[in-house]
Each structure stands twice: as structure tokens, then as C-alpha cells.
Amino acid sequence: MKNKCLNFLLFVVVAFMSPDLLWAQNQPVKGKVLDEKTKEALVGVSILEAGSTSNGTVTDIDGNFSISVPEGATLRISYVGYLVQEIPLDGRKTLNVFLKEDTEVLDEVIIVGYGVQKKATLSGSVTSIGGEKLANTPVANVSQGLAGRLPGVVAISNTAEPGYDGATIRIRGINTFGKADPLIVVDGVPGRSLERIDPSTIETMSVMKDASAAIYGAQAANGVIIITTKRGKKGSPTVNLSYNYGISRSTVIPKMANASEYATLLNEIDKYAGNNERYTQEDIQKYRDGSDPWSYPNTDWFEETLKPWSPQTYANATIDGGTDNVTYFVSVSAKTQDGFYRNSGTKYNQYDLKSNLDLQLNKYINLFMNLTGRMEDRKYPTRSAENIFRMLMRSKPNMPAYWPNGLPGPDIEFGDNPVVIATDATGYERDKRYILNGDFGVNINVPYIEGLTLKATASLDKNFRFRKIWQTPWSLYSWDGTSMDENNNPLLVEGKKGFSDPRLRESMEDNQNILLSGIINYSRTFAESHSVNVLAGVERITSNGDSFEAFRRYFISTAIDELFAGGQDEINNTGKGYKEARLNYFGRVNYSYKSKYLAEFVWRYQGSYIFDHSNQFGFFPGVSLGYIISEENFFKKALPFVHFAKVRASWGKTGNDMIVPYQYLASYTFNNLMYLTNGGVTANQSLMESVAPNVNVTWETATQQNIGLDLQFLNGDLAVTVDYFYNKRKDILWKRNASVPNTSGLTLSDENLGKVKNQGVDFSIDYRKRFKDFSLGMGLNGVYAKNKILFWDEAPGAPSYQKSTGMPIDAGLYYEAIGIFKDETHVESYPHWAGARPGDIIFRDVNGDKVIDGNDRVRNDKTKTPTFTGGLNVDLTYKDFDFSVLFQGAFGGVFQQSTESGDFGNFLKSFYDNRWTEDNPTADFPRTYNRSNEYWVNQPNTFWLHKTDYVRLKNIELGYTVPKVLTKQAGIERVRVYVNAYNLLTFSPDMKDYDPENTSGSGYNHPLNKVLNFGVNVTF
């Protein structure tokens, strides 16, 4: 009776969804579905009429099914873990179907902490990407290639300066006032660098976003990124050669006012100040027409200082292969980046060697050895990129970069003429770093105990750094505007700039990190239904390092740039060292029943050198549950079009100990007082306590909660993953400086008093389909995350709309700009700042007291960190052609613009075009100002706040693989040529003068880059 009711209900549903089926001449078909290998009946197999989404059924406990379909129909038969079959009936009324296991689906795994897990039975929130995707992005720094590729990962590129171009990475937004960087784990070793890894050696990258990261304890609260490198595969040696050549330039160059426009603006400054205008209309015309370049130059400083394009190269060679007993992977590579400047003093070179070796001693014992060597060679001018671009923004267009005779022109101040200080004319800075990472380990399959394995690893990371800064005087040339030489040419005066004599500073660093670990793992399946995996391990990490620095000046000449050649006066040197240690016990227990009901428990008991003995260890647990509901018969019958469905939930506690260490100890520093000993002969520097100790200081604690849903449709071609997360962080270190006035005279220690919550959603939608000669892949991912301060120290008495508590971290306090005063009548009609005049920015009278003062400032709920970031990627292949494109975007962030304009420096062209004047009283921008003299410049207000919403064409690539018939005769297995581009186009409605990821409101940081790249891959 029950089955009849269910059949009738199914009949009604089908009739409702597809009533035309009732009238079709359907024929009953019966059959049985079995496993091809074991010949066992398969329960719950989906039987669907091809082309229909509603006419379907599932097999019963004996593998039998019955379905009515029109004549000539085709049955689509699918089951999780098996290859899909489409069977034309051709008049048959009965049939037996044998399904073949889809080993690719069954074996697909995700790298997790200290192991791997099958993706299908994963209960935590973990996402991953293959190394080939990262290698396709033409950037020198791997971190820049992450944006838009992984759900939940926020990657913000702040600069493209060669050697310092790492992106700021956040997992699901920001959860703390302090350091929010995720933990990086490379080949099982935590704390290694992500940025400089050779992308050609990356096998896969996984991101642990929820409580599953608790296995990394007090370093996991900001998420964990796990990278595994490639290993050899059994077979004949395979050689891969890659080379690409790229050219790069800034994504956005600010457009500045030209000389005539700048002169006009300076006249307006004089007028508003009640002074005589400094330029006549004849002067302005000469600036405009260029008729007198000596007296009236018109300089585009960005054009004079920056090259149109800068080259970069990358070359790589790998070889891998092996036998039954030995497999190997070896990679060597070199990359170069030139600076953006003409005659650039900036250059970055990197050389990599990677070797992974696996030795199978016998059926029980496997040895492995990983070796990574890298040299990073950085060269820079003695002036920083921030200083150079500050001077580019400030440089005045009515001053020459070079005089017409080719000599460099004058500076604004401190000898800083950008066309000179961007070169090595002022000396140089050299920064060489040598990195050696070695892993040595053994894997043991314990005999006679099925599923029991042991692993022991010893890792050594050794880093050396040598830094040398050679600063020399340089010359610039000025002209008084009237003096002429004997040939009636302007008489230029040479001026010595910078230091009066050469100076040399050298430093050395030697850092070492040793990891020793032992792991025991037991994995078994009992009674064909109960799968258990138990892992337990111990890990000891010790680190130490030393550094030394020396300084000399008074060199006789610039010919010898070595310390021994310096003078004996003002010699200075210093040095320091450190020691660190961590001891960790960790484990994981996984259980699944019929690969349908899933449970995981992870933990870490961690001790850290950072804290007092009484507070040195902490316990960090995490638990997650999963339910593959699509394995239930009722689900298959009700929703046959859903190929796979899994519900996940997790809860756990993780920590963040990225704080200044030893705060539990009293610390001392030298002060400026001296005392005499030895009868008043010897002078000694005295010590003073710098800050009071806090013996109770401890790590931040994060409580992480996550609910997720994984779905697959169209027999696995379409996959959807959605996660909701809620993170609460407490014990964040902060000072009580806000509530304790400075007049107290106290220097307070940090306390674990801050609390923050962060919640949001991340998702991914992926579609993959292969046709005869064509394949299509599309993916959309994104994350929305917004944090809120629950508690930190805040000065009492402020109105509620000004409090930072309850607002996002780094939320600014601003006057609300509501327009521009058109004229004097407009000024008098609304409350205004004392001394306001036409052309000024109007501030909202928030509290309605008819006075504009500090009480009218409002806390803004947006910060420079976007609340939503995401990406859309498309991959296409047709025969020998392949094409991929990645769009990436971010929304919900703001940027505060502020330029040092006026007598101090130039104005943006956008300001000149849109400013208020008496002839243009309805302008969108205020009147001309002189640096920060006006209240609406020196008081933070929303007029200068811009939305940083943007969409980028982040990466685009077109490739062609030469047919084998043309390459095989030359002994070449594969040749692929390609062209790609990075950051090619950017669409941002509100950001026109700066890149939307820019972090400097004044435009002083090194700009981001766009890259055009050409390459070839050859396989032997």
C-alpha cells in the first residue's frame, strides 16, 4: 500500500510538471543495474529519460527499475562514483546495465592539514586550485595570481614594485585589529613564504577556511593556505621547457595639470588669499604654446620619468620520471623584472632550483627528500619608490625635468628630481637573499597491521640576507632666469645634492628554522560501511637568527664602495639575535558510514615561546559533520535531477599569536642619559623600562562556525557550493590608551580586551562540459564578509553615531559633504564652518544645532577593504586552440584621496577641469586650495571619499598547440605557443585618477602593473 501511494504521488508530481507525458504513447521498460566489476546490484541509481528533467526513477534494493518512456527514447543512467551511460532502447523492453567506476571522481582528493581527504566525503570548508592555473598568470609573484580564483580568498595588490609586489591576502575578510595574514604551509612546513614560489613547481593549493584549520591551532585563526609541490611519476623522463617574455606598465597614471593650468590655479590661490596674481596672461600663454622652453617649460613628469613599457622574462626547465623504486622531479628557473623608470635603478632577478625525490626501499618503507634553493637579487635607487612617486605627484609642470641642453633640472626639495633619483645616479641599494629549504622524511606502512602508517619528517629552512646601501652625492642644475654665458646661452649653476660625502651601510642576517615531526595514521573500512581514519602527531619547531649592521662615511671618493675605504670618524655598528620555539600535539579523527554520514574531529595542543609559562599552552578543537543526502532513496526519487547533494556544518576554536613576543617580560631600552664610572672617565648609556609587563598576555581566540551545501547537477557537469560563516574573535591585543588620558603619564601594555565578529557568505558555481572537439568550462565565485567591532577601548562621551564600537574595523570618522557653496547667499543660508566662503564644501549639520563642529562627524561603515570580492573564469578549447579569461572584481570599499597641491605641488587634471570658480559656481569640485590650508582639506570629509568598486579583465590567454604530426619527427612531444595579458582592462566608475586597489590617498605608492606576455612551452 505504501509503495502504491508513493508511486501515485510520483505520478501526480510528474503529471503536474510535464502533463504532456500523460498523453504520449509511453512504453514500459524494466531493467537492472549492476556494478561492472563486482556484478553486485546498485541501489538508488538514477534512471532518467534523456532530454527530460522530470520523467525518471531510481533502482530499488535489488537494483531493479521500471519506467515508462516514449518509443525511440534514450535512457540516461547515472550514479555517484560511476561513469554516466546513455542507452538508446531501440524497441527493447528489458535490459541489464553494467556501470563502470569513475575512478577520477572517486579518487579526487583535497589537501588538508597533514594529509589528504576525498573531496566527496570532505565535511570542512576547504577549496583548492591546481598549480597550472597559477602558472598561467604572467606575474613574478604567485600571490598576485590568486585574486578572483578561489571563493573566500581576498587578494589585494597594493604595489607592483619589483621584489616587493606581494598581495595582501585575507581569508573571508578581516577578523582582528592586528595581523590578519593566513598561515602558509608549503610541503607540510608552516611559516614558509607563498610569494616567491616558482609557480611551475606547484601541484595544488588548498585553502582551509573554517574550523577544519584548528589542526594548526594558535596560528590558524586567519585561515590556512596549504601548498604542495610536484613529484615525479613512474615512466620515461619527461622534459618541459618554458619561456615567456612580457612587457609591463602602470595600470593607471594620474593625469596632472599642465604648466598653463597650474599657473592659473596658483593665480587663484593668490586671489583667494588677497595677494597679487603671480602670472600674467602672457606668461600663461607662453607656458601653453611652448615658445620659450627655458623660461616657460611645460613638463609632464610622469612621461619624463617612466618608460612606456618595462620588460620581464621567465624561463623554466623541468624533468620528471622514475622507476618502480625511484621517482624524481627537478625544476630550474630564472625570472627578471625591470623597473618602470627610465634609466632605471630598479631591477629584480630570481633563480630557483627545486628537487623532489622519492625512494621506495621495499613494500613497507618509502623515503622522500625535497630540496629548494632560491636566490632573490633586488636592486633599487637610494630613494624609495614611495619617495619617488611622492615627488612625481608634487613635481611642478612649470619646472624642467631636463633643461633644453639635456642637463637635469632643479629639485623641489632635498635634491629630489624624480628623473634623477629613480636612477643609480644617487648610489644604489642591493638586497640579496639566499633561501634553502630541505625536507627529509620516511613513510612506513606497518607490516601485519592493515591501514597503519608512520611518518617522520625533519625540515631545515636556512635564510641569508645581505643588504648594501651606497649613498653618493649627485648634481642638479639651476638657472636664475637671466644670467647668460659667453655664447649667450643660459648660465646653469651646478648644485651638489643629497649627502655631502659618500656613505655606506651594510647588514647581514642569518636565520634558521628546524621542524621535527612524527605522525601516526590508521585508516580502515569495516563491514564495507564504516570508514575510520585516525591521525595523531607531534611537532617541534625551533628558530634562531642573528643580524649585524655596520656604517661608515667620509670616503675619499666614490670609486671604492667598500667599508674598509671609509673614514674613521662616526663609525657605527650594531647587532641582535633571537630564539623561538614551539611544541605542538595534534590529531584528526574521521568517520563515515556508507560514505554518507560524515564526521570529523581535529585538535591541536600548542605551546608557544611568546607567552609566560603559566599561559604557554592552549587547546584548539574543531568538529565538522556532513550528510550526503543525495545517497538517500527518498531524495533520489524526489529530486532525480540533483546528481549529488551534501550538507556540511562545522564549529571550532582557533588562535592567532602573531603578536610582539615576550610581552610577559619587563623590557628595557637605552635612553639619552649617561652616567660616569671609573672615576668619571668612562661614559655609560643608561637603561629605562620601556613598557610594563603583562604576564597574562595570550593569543587571540576565534570561534568559527560554518554551514555549507555542495550540489551537483547535470550528472556532475554543474557544481554549486555555498557556505555561510560566522566568526567571533576575542582576546585581541589592544591598549587602553583611548579611555586612559595621556595626562596620566602611563605607558600601557597591551591587553587581551578586543572582540570582533565577522560573518558572510562565500560560493562557487562551476560548469564543465566536453563535446566532440570542443570543451567549455565556466566558474563563478565570490565572498561577502563584513566585520563589526564588539568591544575595544574607546574614549567615553562620544555620541553614538561617532563610536567605532559596532562598526567595521578601520571605519573612518568624517564630516558628511553635501555639496559646494555656490555664492555668498548660499553660504549664509546653511550652517557653516567659521570663515566659510563660496566654493567651499558644505558639511551636514548632523546634530541640528546650527553649528558645524566636531560633533557633526559621523562614523562611516565602509573601509578600504571591500566587502565583496569575486571572479568569473571561462575556459574554452577547440581542437588545438585554447582560450581562457578571468574577470575579477571587488565592491564595498572606499578610498580617501588627498593630494599635497598648491605651492607645495601640482594638482590633478580632474580637479582643474571640475573646480569651482566665480564663472562656474555650479561646479562639482570646490575652489582651488593651497595644500591643507582650507578646513575642507584638513578635516576628513566624505567629499574626498571614493568608492573603489571595480571589475578587471584580470587574465586572458590564447594558446595554440602545434599538431603532433609536425613535431614528432623532431622528437618533440608537444609545442604550445600562447599570448596572455594581466590586468589588461579595469572598469571603475568612481576611480579615475588612481587604481582602485591603490592604498595611498596621495598616490605615493608604486602603482600596479598591467602585463602583455608571449610564451612557448615545449615537452620532450
Side-chain angles (χ1 to χ4, degrees):
M1 183 66 183
K2 182 179 178 181
N3 288 336
K4 290 181 178 179
C5 291
L6 288 175
N7 289 336
F8 176 74
L9 181 60
L10 182 61
F11 174 82
V12 172
V13 171
V14 171
F16 178 77
M17 297 178 67
S18 299
D20 57 305
L21 293 177
L22 295 177
W23 305 102
Q25 298 296 316
N26 289 349
Q27 303 293 328
V29 177
K30 294 182 180 180
K32 189 169 186 174
V33 182
L34 304 98
D35 182 289
E36 183 186 60
K37 185 183 298 183
T38 65
K39 303 301 187 291
E40 293 181 355
L42 297 177
V43 184
V45 177
S46 174
I47 314 295
L48 191 68
E49 178 192 341
S52 171
T53 60
S54 57
N55 185 26
T57 185
V58 295
T59 57
D60 61 20
I61 193 170
D62 297 317
N64 296 317
F65 70 90
S66 177
I67 186 174
S68 293
V69 294
E71 287 190 39
T74 296
L75 294 185
R76 185 177 180 86
I77 303 170
S78 61
Y79 193 55
V80 175
Y82 289 80
L83 296 173
V84 176
Q85 287 194 33
E86 290 194 357
I87 303 175
L89 291 177
D90 296 329
R92 289 179 290 177
K93 300 295 190 295
T94 62
L95 69 159
N96 288 331
V97 180
F98 296 92
L99 290 185
K100 184 178 181 180
E101 286 187 351
D102 186 348
T103 56
E104 182 178 347
V105 172
L106 290 175
D107 296 335
E108 185 177 1
V109 295
I110 296 290
I111 306 298
V112 295
Y114 302 98
V116 299
Q117 291 184 14
K118 289 185 177 181
K119 183 176 181 180
T121 57
L122 186 70
S123 54
S125 183
V126 184
T127 186
S128 67
I129 186 174
E132 70 281 355
K133 291 289 186 182
L134 301 175
N136 287 345
T137 304
V139 292
N141 195 310
V142 172
S143 65
Q144 287 193 341
L146 298 183
R149 294 196 179 275
L150 291 159
V153 177
V154 180
I156 301 174
S157 297
N158 305 310
T159 173
E161 183 180 14
Y164 291 112
D165 49 0
T168 299
I169 300 175
R170 298 290 179 260
I171 308 299
R172 291 178 165 176
I174 298 177
N175 299 270
T176 179
F177 316 140
K179 291 185 178 180
D181 300 324
L183 175 67
I184 307 299
V185 180
V186 181
D187 284 335
V189 179
R192 287 178 172 169
S193 173
L194 158 69
E195 295 184 356
R196 296 298 163 190
I197 294 177
D198 182 359
S200 294
T201 67
I202 296 177
E203 180 69 28
T204 184
M205 177 187 292
S206 295
V207 182
M208 305 179 74
K209 301 180 289 186
D210 69 341
S212 60
I215 198 168
Y216 288 103
Q219 296 176 283
N222 298 321
V224 179
I225 296 178
I226 303 175
I227 297 170
T228 58
T229 57
K230 295 178 179 179
R231 313 202 71 81
K233 299 178 178 63
K234 186 174 70 172
S236 301
T238 299
V239 178
N240 288 282
L241 304 176
S242 299
Y243 178 80
N244 61 57
Y245 176 85
I247 52 175
S248 68
R249 64 178 300 172
S250 302
T251 54
V252 179
I253 295 295
K255 294 181 180 179
M256 311 301 293
N258 62 32
S260 64
E261 294 166 342
Y262 181 60
T264 300
L265 295 171
L266 292 180
N267 278 350
E268 292 176 7
I269 289 175
D270 293 335
K271 177 181 177 181
Y272 299 143
N275 300 324
N276 293 327
E277 295 181 353
R278 67 191 80 179
Y279 297 106
T280 66
Q281 290 303 310
E282 182 182 359
D283 293 332
I284 293 174
Q285 178 59 33
K286 288 182 178 180
Y287 280 126
R288 183 180 295 116
D289 60 28
S291 58
D292 186 355
W294 279 97
S295 298
Y296 296 92
N298 184 12
T299 304
D300 184 336
W301 283 93
F302 281 95
E303 174 70 21
E304 294 286 348
T305 306
L306 304 183
K307 291 184 290 192
W309 294 93
S310 298
Q312 64 177 46
T313 64
Y314 173 75
N316 171 262
T318 67
I319 180 170
D320 73 280
T323 65
D324 291 336
N325 298 322
V326 180
T327 58
Y328 54 87
F329 172 83
V330 180
S331 171
V332 292
S333 66
K335 63 180 66 172
T336 67
Q337 280 182 286
D338 199 2
F340 283 176
Y341 318 119
R342 298 181 188 272
N343 304 312
S344 177
T346 297
K347 193 165 188 178
Y348 177 74
N349 295 318
Q350 179 176 316
Y351 308 95
D352 293 86
L353 169 66
K354 177 70 177 177
S355 173
N356 288 345
L357 180 66
D358 294 279
L359 304 173
Q360 189 71 46
L361 297 185
N362 54 48
K363 60 188 288 189
Y364 301 113
I365 301 176
N366 169 264
L367 301 179
F368 64 89
M369 180 175 69
N370 309 328
L371 183 64
T372 301
R374 181 171 70 251
M375 187 186 84
E376 302 169 8
D377 187 5
R378 297 168 172 84
K379 296 180 181 179
Y380 301 110
T382 57
R383 290 293 203 258
S384 68
E386 181 179 0
N387 185 263
I388 293 170
F389 280 92
R390 181 179 186 229
M391 288 304 158
L392 280 173
M393 292 294 297
R394 285 186 53 197
S395 292
K396 302 174 182 180
N398 58 354
M399 293 177 60
Y402 296 98
W403 293 106
N405 63 4
L407 293 174
D411 60 317
I412 295 179
E413 59 185 13
F414 309 124
D416 289 338
N417 180 331
V419 300
V420 176
I421 63 173
T423 72
D424 59 7
T426 67
Y428 61 81
E429 176 184 343
R430 292 179 181 170
D431 186 343
K432 291 186 178 181
R433 305 182 193 187
Y434 304 87
I435 295 92
L436 177 66
N437 299 332
D439 307 320
F440 310 89
V442 57
N443 292 303
I444 301 174
N445 293 318
V446 178
Y448 311 116
I449 305 178
E450 183 182 350
L452 181 63
T453 61
L454 305 176
K455 181 179 181 180
T457 303
S459 297
L460 170 66
D461 292 355
K462 193 74 174 175
N463 302 330
F464 300 95
R465 182 183 183 187
F466 172 68
R467 189 181 185 201
K468 184 175 183 178
I469 303 176
W470 173 244
Q471 297 170 299
T472 59
W474 64 94
S475 295
L476 300 178
Y477 295 85
S478 60
W479 181 44
D480 62 10
T482 57
S483 300
M484 311 296 283
D485 63 14
E486 63 276 8
N487 298 318
N488 202 32
N489 294 319
L491 181 62
L492 299 180
V493 177
E494 181 179 5
K496 195 174 186 180
K497 302 296 180 179
F499 294 112
S500 58
D501 58 274
R503 304 181 182 200
L504 179 62
R505 187 179 304 274
E506 293 186 3
S507 61
M508 290 284 293
E509 294 180 20
D510 178 359
N511 303 301
Q512 178 176 284
N513 186 82
I514 296 176
L515 179 146
L516 301 174
S517 70
I519 298 174
I520 182 171
N521 191 82
Y522 180 70
S523 182
R524 283 291 301 276
T525 298
F526 301 94
E528 299 184 358
S529 298
H530 304 274
S531 296
V532 177
N533 181 272
V534 181
L535 177 145
V538 60
E539 186 177 76
R540 182 175 184 267
I541 304 174
T542 57
S543 304
N544 62 77
D546 296 285
S547 63
F548 176 81
E549 182 177 295
F551 170 81
R552 282 199 182 188
R553 58 177 298 192
Y554 301 116
F555 288 76
I556 297 175
S557 76
T558 59
I560 303 177
D561 54 353
E562 302 296 341
L563 282 173
F564 78 88
Q568 297 301 307
D569 294 334
E570 299 185 38
I571 292 176
N572 191 17
N573 58 69
T574 186
K576 60 183 178 180
Y578 70 92
K579 289 186 177 181
E580 302 174 355
R582 299 178 187 272
L583 181 62
N584 311 311
Y585 305 92
F586 54 88
R588 178 173 54 240
V589 178
N590 295 93
Y591 170 77
S592 70
Y593 176 65
K594 292 186 176 180
S595 297
K596 178 165 48 176
Y597 307 104
L598 317 171
E600 178 181 81
F601 174 68
V602 297
W603 58 274
R604 191 179 189 95
Y605 184 62
Q606 179 162 352
S608 173
Y609 72 99
I610 294 176
F611 310 111
D612 182 68
H613 290 287
S614 62
N615 219 17
Q616 207 163 49
F617 279 85
F619 183 70
F620 302 92
V623 61
S624 60
L625 302 173
Y627 177 27
I628 304 180
I629 192 172
S630 57
E631 290 293 286
E632 301 289 0
N633 288 334
F634 72 84
F635 187 92
K636 295 176 180 179
K637 291 179 179 179
L639 300 170
F641 56 88
V642 180
H643 180 71
F644 177 84
K646 177 172 63 177
V647 181
R648 297 175 283 103
S650 65
W651 173 94
K653 288 191 175 181
T654 54
N656 180 23
D657 67 357
M658 289 193 291
I659 63 172
V660 177
Y662 307 119
Q663 294 191 43
Y664 65 90
L665 297 174
S667 58
Y668 295 84
T669 184
F670 289 108
N671 60 22
N672 295 323
L673 299 177
M674 306 293 289
Y675 66 93
L676 301 177
T677 60
N678 193 23
V681 175
T682 305
N684 303 277
Q685 196 170 2
S686 61
L687 288 172
M688 63 177 292
E689 187 176 22
S690 59
V691 66
N694 178 6
V695 296
N696 296 316
V697 67
T698 186
W699 40 70
E700 302 174 6
T701 302
T703 300
Q704 297 177 290
Q705 301 172 62
N706 190 92
I707 297 175
L709 178 64
D710 302 325
L711 299 172
Q712 292 182 15
F713 305 89
L714 305 178
N715 295 295
D717 293 340
L718 176 64
V720 178
T721 295
V722 181
D723 283 86
Y724 167 77
F725 57 89
Y726 180 90
N727 300 334
K728 188 173 182 180
R729 188 78 60 94
K730 67 176 184 177
D731 298 328
I732 303 175
L733 278 174
W734 203 250
K735 286 182 169 62
R736 293 188 186 273
N737 287 350
S739 59
V740 179
N742 293 333
T743 54
S744 68
L746 298 175
T747 301
L748 302 176
S749 59
D750 290 342
E751 299 178 58
N752 296 102
L753 55 83
K755 295 180 181 179
V756 170
K757 76 171 183 179
N758 179 44
Q759 60 184 333
V761 176
D762 64 39
F763 68 90
S764 65
I765 304 172
D766 293 285
Y767 177 74
R768 297 287 181 269
K769 187 68 175 179
R770 175 172 288 279
F771 305 94
K772 184 178 180 182
D773 293 322
F774 174 78
S775 68
L776 167 66
M778 299 181 65
L780 175 68
N781 71 81
V783 56
Y784 173 85
K786 193 163 188 178
N787 64 69
K788 178 189 292 187
I789 299 173
L790 300 179
F791 179 79
W792 68 344
D793 191 51
E794 189 165 15
S800 59
Y801 54 84
Q802 292 187 351
K803 288 185 176 296
S804 55
T805 303
M807 301 296 285
I809 297 171
D810 293 330
L813 192 62
Y814 304 98
Y815 289 95
E816 294 187 345
I818 58 175
I820 306 295
F821 285 120
K822 298 178 182 178
D823 49 36
E824 193 64 44
T825 302
H826 195 187
V827 173
E828 296 303 322
S829 69
Y830 192 82
H832 52 267
W833 196 276
R837 58 193 294 179
D840 288 354
I841 296 173
I842 307 170
F843 291 168
R844 184 187 299 277
D845 181 14
V846 174
N847 60 3
D849 63 356
K850 308 299 182 183
V851 175
I852 302 299
D853 56 21
N855 291 323
D856 293 303
R857 294 176 300 168
V858 176
R859 187 73 60 178
N860 195 289
D861 69 343
K862 295 186 182 297
T863 70
K864 63 182 180 182
T865 302
T867 53
F868 177 85
T869 61
L872 169 66
N873 64 82
V874 178
D875 298 301
L876 303 172
T877 63
Y878 178 72
K879 293 185 177 180
D880 296 320
F881 290 91
D882 60 89
F883 175 78
S884 64
V885 61
L886 170 65
F887 289 95
Q888 180 259 331
F891 305 89
V894 292
F895 165 93
Q896 186 177 7
Q897 179 177 305
S898 60
T899 58
E900 297 180 292
S901 300
D903 288 321
F904 201 68
N906 200 5
F907 290 83
L908 292 167
K909 180 70 161 58
S910 59
F911 178 85
Y912 174 85
D913 291 339
N914 297 283
R915 75 194 187 285
W916 180 95
T917 64
E918 292 178 350
D919 297 329
N920 186 23
T922 60
D924 296 328
F925 280 47
R927 61 186 173 87
T928 307
Y929 57 95
N930 194 8
R931 203 177 183 186
S932 59
N933 290 352
E934 307 298 339
Y935 72 87
W936 35 269
V937 177
N938 58 47
Q939 297 294 326
N941 64 87
T942 58
F943 180 85
W944 306 106
L945 214 57
H946 297 268
K947 294 180 179 179
T948 57
D949 300 347
Y950 73 90
V951 173
R952 285 193 200 279
L953 179 53
K954 194 70 176 180
N955 199 65
I956 184 170
E957 179 170 298
L958 175 64
Y960 174 71
T961 301
V962 179
K964 284 188 178 181
V965 294
L966 300 178
T967 62
K968 208 142 192 180
Q969 291 182 350
I972 300 175
E973 181 67 23
R974 182 174 184 263
V975 176
R976 178 177 178 266
V977 292
Y978 60 91
V979 56
N980 56 19
Y982 170 77
N983 281 351
L984 185 60
L985 300 172
T986 301
F987 309 94
S988 181
D990 205 35
M991 292 290 290
K992 304 299 182 184
D993 294 310
Y994 303 104
D995 190 285
E997 289 185 79
N998 179 70
T999 57
S1000 171
S1002 302
Y1004 293 166
N1005 62 326
H1006 191 289
L1008 275 65
N1009 64 334
K1010 64 173 66 175
V1011 182
L1012 299 178
N1013 190 65
F1014 311 87
V1016 58
N1017 298 327
V1018 181
T1019 301
F1020 296 92

